[in-house]
Amino acid sequence: MHARRGRTGGPRRTRALVALTLLASTLAACGGDEDTSRPTLNWYNFPDDSGALQKAADRCSRASGGRYRIGYNKLPRAADGQRQQLVRRLAAEDDSLDILGLDVTWAAEFAEARWIREWTGEPKRRATEGTLRVPLQTATWKGRLYAVPYNTNTQLLWYREDLVPTPPKTWSEMLNMSRGLARQGRPHYVEIQGAQYEGLTVWFNSLINSAGGTILDPSATEPSLGPPAVRAASIMRELANSPAADPSLPNQMEDQNRLAMESGVAAFELNYPFVYPSMKTNNPRLFEDFRWAPYPRVDAGRPARPTIGGIDLAVSAYSRHPDLAFEAALCLRNRENQLTAALEGGLPPTLRALYDEPAFMKEYPFSEVVLSALESASVRPLTPAYQNVSIAVSHTLSPPSEIDPESAVDTIGEQIDQALRSEGVIP
């Protein structure tokens, strides 16, 4: 009886299993075809803890209508580590990179190495339309656009209104106010980036541009410097040797400045807008007197030109899907995604229209000051040798208290000249 069931049921069960197996294989094949027709565009960018970048990737993946998905890959936290990873992979012609989040100082280097594609035609028109002029400069090399500005940043003067009812307009006024507060035994430090790193170069670049000069000539072929550079170095030295200097100045970066201001020992701080929500959370009482003003001028009659930061999006020269990558990059930095990055990630937008957006203005009560700063801002030297230029500046001017202005400017000029001639280049 059992043997008969086995003989009559076996073939039926076998045929059913075969049919199910074939059906499963067919469905799997269909799924595989669907995945193959929907390429993943790998976007490499700084690690964002707010979730704004992942939201942008998800939105644009959905908006593509199934033509692509964007994979957000996080680079190391430090800018040097980010650049190192990208440079190594691009030098190896890695075709798994599609969209690259570049620091605003990298476009010239990557373009000269032919690692990124030029923006032309309709993508270029869409990239430049409504975009702030100065951020676009950071994405341009030899008159050609090589990236699209994703976000930007600039420093403001932050101060305590209970100590300083009217903010200073110049560096000289600020240092005099600091001396007066020191004589009264009140908080008086001016918090600024004095460590031997990129922040020190940014400080110098802001001062020299505010004094009417530049680090490099317009063609980026030789150092410019001159009297404005001596003036900039002199201001740095004066601050470092005055009561305004925090004792930790030679080791301070942006976050140390923020913490010092929140602790109540400072009257002024030159820093980025991230300090505003941080003060609100960490010291609500001091936040009541926390105010902002334009970056100090070097000369009363000449507008300040603070240095901008930010990220530009480029398309890898080795991407297997360049047309889709250009389209996706434009989506990632569209109005909705830039607004999310501003509100949730604290990253000022590069689209001019967003500065009139009510939601942005509410979250950024200092948006008018930020916009004004961006419209007159300076950029760091546009050159493939920027890393070497920055090192020459930051090493020569560290520590700020020991700066000999004329000698320091001569040294910076000599080292930059060597870097531009590819002599003594620092890896």
Side-chain angles (χ1 to χ4, degrees), residues 38 59-70 327 331:
R38 189 189 189 206
R59 282 175 183 153
C60 293
S61 296
R62 291 193 296 271
S64 76
R67 291 181 303 115
Y68 61 79
R69 67 173 295 274
I70 299 174
E327 178 185 332
C331 179

Side-chain angles (χ1 to χ4, degrees), residues 22-59:
L22 289 173
L23 178 60
S25 299
T26 302
L27 291 173
C30 291
D33 290 340
E34 183 180 16
D35 292 339
T36 301
S37 65
R38 189 189 189 206
T40 294
L41 302 177
N42 287 307
W43 175 27
Y44 285 82
N45 214 327
F46 66 89
D48 167 50
D49 298 325
S50 73
L53 270 66
Q54 186 61 59
K55 285 183 180 179
D58 293 342
R59 282 175 183 153

Side-chain angles (χ1 to χ4, degrees), residues 246-258:
D246 189 305
S248 300
L249 174 65
N251 300 308
Q252 282 193 316
M253 301 183 185
E254 291 87 351
D255 212 43
Q256 286 79 28
N257 299 145
R258 172 188 66 83

Side-chain angles (χ1 to χ4, degrees), residues 171 175 179 200 203-204 207 229-245 249 397 399-406 408:
W171 284 87
L175 294 182
R179 293 184 183 100
L200 192 61
W203 183 14
F204 179 71
L207 289 173
V230 175
R231 186 86 182 278
S234 298
I235 292 173
M236 297 172 78
R237 176 183 170 84
E238 182 182 4
L239 186 152
N241 289 286
S242 77
L249 174 65
L397 298 178
S401 61
E402 297 181 11
I403 294 173
D404 180 334
E406 293 189 0

Side-chain angles (χ1 to χ4, degrees), residues 78-419:
D80 287 346
Q82 295 171 18
R83 175 181 169 274
Q84 185 179 64
Q85 182 178 136
L86 291 178
V87 165
R88 286 178 175 175
R89 297 181 65 174
L90 290 167
E93 301 185 7
D94 187 341
D95 64 3
S96 68
L97 281 68
D98 298 292
I99 304 168
L100 314 176
L102 305 183
D103 184 276
V104 290
T105 64
W106 300 343
E109 176 188 7
F110 283 42
E112 193 71 12
R114 299 183 180 179
W115 289 334
I116 53 178
R117 296 174 183 264
E118 181 184 357
W119 287 65
T120 59
E122 181 62 13
K124 179 181 180 181
R125 186 195 68 78
R126 292 174 60 193
T128 56
E129 185 177 37
T131 300
L132 292 169
R133 176 186 59 84
V134 178
L136 276 171
Q137 292 179 18
T138 69
T140 304
W141 175 238
K142 293 183 177 179
R144 298 180 177 183
L145 187 70
Y146 283 95
V148 58
Y150 173 64
N151 61 59
T152 187
N153 221 340
T154 186
Q155 293 189 334
L156 302 180
L157 169 63
W158 305 88
Y159 68 98
R160 284 179 52 177
E161 192 176 42
D162 58 325
L163 299 172
V164 185
T166 303
K169 294 183 178 180
T170 66
W171 284 87
S172 179
E173 287 181 23
M174 182 169 63
L175 294 182
N176 285 336
M177 287 181 180
S178 173
R179 293 184 183 100
L181 290 169
R183 286 193 294 269
Q184 299 170 30
R186 307 178 76 187
H188 57 275
Y189 293 148
V190 174
E191 298 297 331
I192 195 164
Q193 301 81 49
Q196 190 184 90
Y197 80 118
E198 180 66 12
L200 192 61
T201 301
V202 168
W203 183 14
F204 179 71
N205 189 70
S206 296
L207 289 173
I208 188 174
N209 278 273
S210 296
T214 54
I215 293 177
L216 298 184
D217 68 351
S219 63
T221 56
E222 61 183 12
S224 177
L225 301 171
V230 175
R231 186 86 182 278
S234 298
I235 292 173
M236 297 172 78
R237 176 183 170 84
E238 182 182 4
L239 186 152
N241 289 286
S242 77
D246 189 305
S248 300
L249 174 65
N251 300 308
Q252 282 193 316
M253 301 183 185
E254 291 87 351
D255 212 43
Q256 286 79 28
N257 299 145
R258 172 188 66 83
L259 292 170
M261 191 74 179
E262 290 175 2
S263 74
V265 300
F268 306 97
E269 175 183 12
L270 282 303
N271 218 329
Y272 298 96
F274 81 100
V275 302
Y276 183 78
S278 180
M279 178 68 82
K280 185 176 183 179
T281 299
N282 297 334
N283 194 332
R285 189 205 60 76
L286 200 56
F287 178 75
E288 296 175 3
D289 294 307
F290 196 49
R291 299 292 182 269
W292 57 88
Y295 196 88
R297 299 182 175 199
V298 169
D299 299 304
R302 192 196 312 266
R305 299 193 63 203
T307 305
I308 65 167
I311 295 293
D312 298 331
L313 300 183
V315 173
S316 168
Y318 309 110
S319 171
R320 289 170 289 180
H321 311 284
D323 292 341
L324 293 179
F326 278 114
E327 178 185 332
L330 287 168
C331 179
L332 289 170
R333 57 90 65 179
N334 67 16
R335 182 185 179 95
E336 181 182 17
N337 289 327
Q338 283 207 36
L339 183 59
T340 299
L343 299 181
E344 298 181 14
L347 304 171
T350 58
L351 293 173
R352 170 61 183 84
L354 283 176
Y355 288 84
D356 298 323
E357 175 69 36
F360 178 74
M361 296 172 71
K362 180 180 179 180
E363 190 73 16
Y364 282 68
F366 40 83
S367 60
E368 288 187 16
V369 180
V370 170
L371 177 60
S372 178
L374 290 172
E375 290 178 332
S376 63
S378 61
V379 300
R380 280 165 276 187
L382 300 175
T383 170
Y386 178 75
Q387 301 302 316
N388 300 320
V389 170
S390 178
I391 289 172
V393 171
S394 63
H395 283 217
T396 303
L397 298 178
S398 178
S401 61
E402 297 181 11
I403 294 173
D404 180 334
E406 293 189 0
S407 175
V409 169
D410 287 343
T411 299
I412 291 171
E414 291 171 2
Q415 293 186 3
I416 288 177
D417 189 57
Q418 291 175 355

